[in-house]
Amino acid sequence: AASPVCIYMLLWTTAALVALPASRPALGGRAARSPQPCLLAERPSWLGFMGRKEQNWPGHDEIVSRFMKADVVFLKPEDDLMSAARILDASGITGAPVLDDGKVVGILSQTDLLYKVAGRASLKLGGEGAASVRYAENTVRLRKIEAETVASAMSRSPACIEETATMQEAAARMLKARHNRLCVVNPVGRLVGIITSSDIVRLALAEEASV
């Protein structure tokens, strides 16, 4: 006579086979693929947008040089960091371009200064993203933490735009670079002004009110 264990295993195997979905093939056969829904059943809305006339806010076609701030507070790479921080505070601004022979080589912002306060607490530890990315970011952060001059603390990839660009191009550049201000430069790369997101929105509202 079969033992209770054998009987239990036989019943369990039978129940498992009965529970298999009807579409499951017999052992050794190939699984039948069920029809998959089309992932692009509808045309993406942005495709239609690209083909029709834009309805931008007023002022989008104005030239940047007409509305930029020409009287710009700027710093030098060799400036003492604490002194530079005092200049930003006294001027009531959150950042300033760093110039070397009239050309923009960086931007010093309050975010850069925060690393001097946060110290090692700002470093990314193990488990926070890919190791290669973490290493690169921590290298930059450590430079800012130990900085004593503007050159060591500043962000070295300043977002710039030419003085002949439109406000629409400036707005798009800000969004892509994730900055609220752009350094405005002439054809030879020398700083001629600053344009901010507030300048762009203020122009749009003024143009709308005058319509």
Side-chain angles (χ1 to χ4, degrees):
S3 66
V5 174
C6 292
I7 295 175
Y8 173 80
M9 292 299 296
L10 179 62
L11 292 174
W12 183 88
T13 303
T14 303
L17 290 173
V18 171
L20 288 174
S23 61
R24 187 182 179 107
L27 294 177
R30 295 184 63 184
R33 295 185 178 181
S34 58
Q36 296 295 320
C38 179
L39 298 178
L40 296 177
E42 297 182 3
R43 190 167 182 251
S45 59
W46 57 267
L47 286 178
F49 171 79
M50 296 300 288
R52 65 175 185 262
K53 185 178 180 180
E54 288 187 290
Q55 296 181 346
N56 304 81
W57 276 11
H60 71 280
D61 54 352
E62 294 284 359
I63 302 302
V64 165
S65 60
R66 291 188 57 200
F67 302 93
M68 68 183 186
K69 180 182 178 183
D71 184 17
V72 179
V73 174
F74 66 89
L75 304 169
K76 296 180 180 179
E78 64 272 18
D79 286 346
D80 174 73
L81 188 58
M82 182 64 75
S83 298
R86 290 194 179 100
I87 291 174
L88 295 184
D89 183 57
S91 303
I93 55 179
T94 59
V98 183
L99 304 186
D100 186 9
D101 192 26
K103 295 187 177 181
V104 185
V105 294
I107 292 286
L108 183 73
S109 69
Q110 286 185 341
T111 301
D112 298 317
L113 300 176
L114 286 179
Y115 287 101
K116 296 297 293 183
V117 180
R120 68 181 64 183
S122 65
L123 297 176
K124 287 190 173 182
L125 304 178
E128 297 184 48
S132 58
V133 175
R134 189 169 64 249
Y135 176 83
E137 291 182 353
N138 279 343
T139 299
V140 174
R141 291 173 184 229
L142 184 60
R143 168 173 61 81
K144 295 177 183 288
I145 291 171
E146 297 180 332
E148 297 296 336
T149 64
V150 169
S152 297
M154 69 183 186
S155 297
R156 297 176 179 175
S157 298
C160 300
I161 194 165
E162 292 187 359
E163 58 186 339
T164 56
T166 65
M167 296 296 255
Q168 180 182 25
E169 292 170 330
R173 180 81 175 90
M174 288 180 188
L175 291 172
K176 292 176 182 178
R178 298 183 179 182
H179 289 300
N180 288 320
R181 70 175 70 84
L182 297 175
C183 296
V184 184
V185 296
N186 63 17
V188 297
R190 291 186 177 275
L191 181 74
V192 294
I194 293 286
I195 191 78
T196 68
S197 56
S198 297
D199 296 327
I200 297 175
V201 174
R202 191 180 300 116
L203 171 63
L205 296 177
E207 291 281 327
E208 176 66 19
S210 64
V211 174

